[in-house]
């Protein structure tokens, strides 16, 4: 990770670390708005009688809302992945998207509406896993800390719960994250089974946790 960091700074400057920022913000405005909003609304309705939600219920609600979020944010996610990887491509293959919206609409013109849904199944699966492992584990860790430690409902409890939830979510989602990024970065259709066999042949089982450290450094905070 540190080698990649320094390579980007040397070749593109500090601003190179922010490639795809507009697409990333656009993704959060679609993906995170839906996954958080739907989850909290469903949880509110499920506990309207004052009951405490069980862990299976939280996992079910967060999985469903995450899946919806993955679908809604897919087009921006494809654009984000492509903008971040553009500088690594040979000049003739670079897309040079100006910003997130430019990338989305160029994809629509040049590749058709199906390009907006490239990798939608691994992305939605990843979003469902992310939501379930992040939101459900956050609520669970927070309840445990409030019950079994003297911390109470404090800022420290919220930060600790968030960090632990980020660790769980990063670990569970890592394999799907790798698949999602590689499917989205291409301009042609490629079967997931073929992609998996190709990755495994070249990289072995370690492919599942490639990029875990930067993923956690992004998600944990």
């Amino acid at each position: 990770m540190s080698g990649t960091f320094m390579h980007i700074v040397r070749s593109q400057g500090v601003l190179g670390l922010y490639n795809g920022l507009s697409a990333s913000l656009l993704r959060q405005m679609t993906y995170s708005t839906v996954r958080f909003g739907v989850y909290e609304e469903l949880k509110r309705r499920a506990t309207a009688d004052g009951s405490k939600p069980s862990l299976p219920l939280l996992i079910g609600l967060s999985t469903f809302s995450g899946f919806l979020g993955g679908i809604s944010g897919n087009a921006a996610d494809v654009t984000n992945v492509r903008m971040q990887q553009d500088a690594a491509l040979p000049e003739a293959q670079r897309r040079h998207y100006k910003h997130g919206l430019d990338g989305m609409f160029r994809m629509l013109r040049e590749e058709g509406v199906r390009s907006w849904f490239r990798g939608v199944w691994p992305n939605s699966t990843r979003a469902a896993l992310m939501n379930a492992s992040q939101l459900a584990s956050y609520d669970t860790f927070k309840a445990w800390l409030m019950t079994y430690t003297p911390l109470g409902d404090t800022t420290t409890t919220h930060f600790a719960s968030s960090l632990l939830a980020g660790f769980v979510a990063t670990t569970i989602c890592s394999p799907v994250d790798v698949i999602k990024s590689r499917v989205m970065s291409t301009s042609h259709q490629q079967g997931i089974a073929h992609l998996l066999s190709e990755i495994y042949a070249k990289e072995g089982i370690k492919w599942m946790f490639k990029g875990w450290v930067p993923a956690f450094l992004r998600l944990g905070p």
Side-chain angles (χ1 to χ4, degrees):
M1 188 194 74
S2 58
T4 304
F5 183 94
M6 293 309 300
H7 173 73
I8 292 172
V9 172
R10 281 197 302 266
S11 59
Q12 303 169 48
V14 175
L15 290 179
L17 297 170
Y18 292 89
N19 282 341
L21 177 62
S22 59
S24 182
L25 293 172
L26 188 61
R27 173 182 176 271
Q28 293 298 338
M29 290 165 64
T30 49
Y31 160 65
S32 286
T33 299
V34 171
R35 75 182 181 111
F36 282 123
V38 172
Y39 174 72
E40 289 298 335
E41 177 62 17
L42 291 177
K43 189 171 71 169
R44 184 187 66 79
R45 294 189 182 197
T47 57
D49 59 355
S51 61
K52 202 171 183 179
S54 64
L55 180 59
L57 175 64
L58 291 175
I59 291 173
L61 298 181
S62 54
T63 298
F64 176 70
S65 56
F67 191 82
L68 292 182
I71 294 173
S72 67
N74 198 77
D77 211 358
V78 176
T79 310
N80 182 34
V81 169
R82 290 184 174 191
M83 290 180 72
Q84 289 179 344
Q85 295 185 350
D86 210 38
L89 297 172
E91 182 60 37
Q93 296 178 26
R94 293 181 186 176
R95 300 178 176 95
H96 297 294
Y97 296 153
K98 296 175 184 175
H99 47 73
L101 285 174
D102 175 62
M104 284 179 60
F105 287 111
R106 274 187 52 191
M107 282 163 51
L108 186 63
R109 288 196 309 269
E110 297 167 11
E111 301 172 46
V113 71
R114 289 181 67 182
S115 64
W116 280 13
F117 297 95
R118 179 155 291 132
V120 68
W121 295 120
N123 190 34
S124 298
T125 302
R126 181 255 184 201
L129 287 171
M130 170 63 72
N131 233 38
S133 57
Q134 187 181 38
L135 299 188
S137 66
Y138 170 79
D139 281 335
T140 302
F141 283 130
K142 186 172 69 173
W144 286 350
L145 289 171
M146 289 172 62
T147 303
Y148 299 111
T149 72
L151 291 173
D153 191 1
T154 61
T155 303
T156 303
T157 300
H158 288 267
F159 270 89
S161 303
S162 298
L163 195 64
L164 289 167
F167 180 87
V168 172
T170 303
T171 304
I172 290 176
C173 294
S174 183
V176 187
D177 237 352
V178 175
I179 296 169
K180 177 203 75 144
S181 295
R182 298 198 185 190
V183 170
M184 288 181 170
S185 64
T186 65
S187 296
H188 59 277
Q189 296 292 339
Q190 186 177 19
I192 292 178
H194 179 264
L195 176 66
L196 280 174
S197 62
E198 199 175 74
I199 295 174
Y200 182 76
K202 290 179 180 177
E203 303 171 36
I205 199 70
K206 289 182 179 179
W207 72 265
M208 296 178 69
F209 297 101
K210 184 153 285 186
W212 188 95
V213 172
F216 177 69
L217 291 177
R218 168 188 166 275
L219 191 61

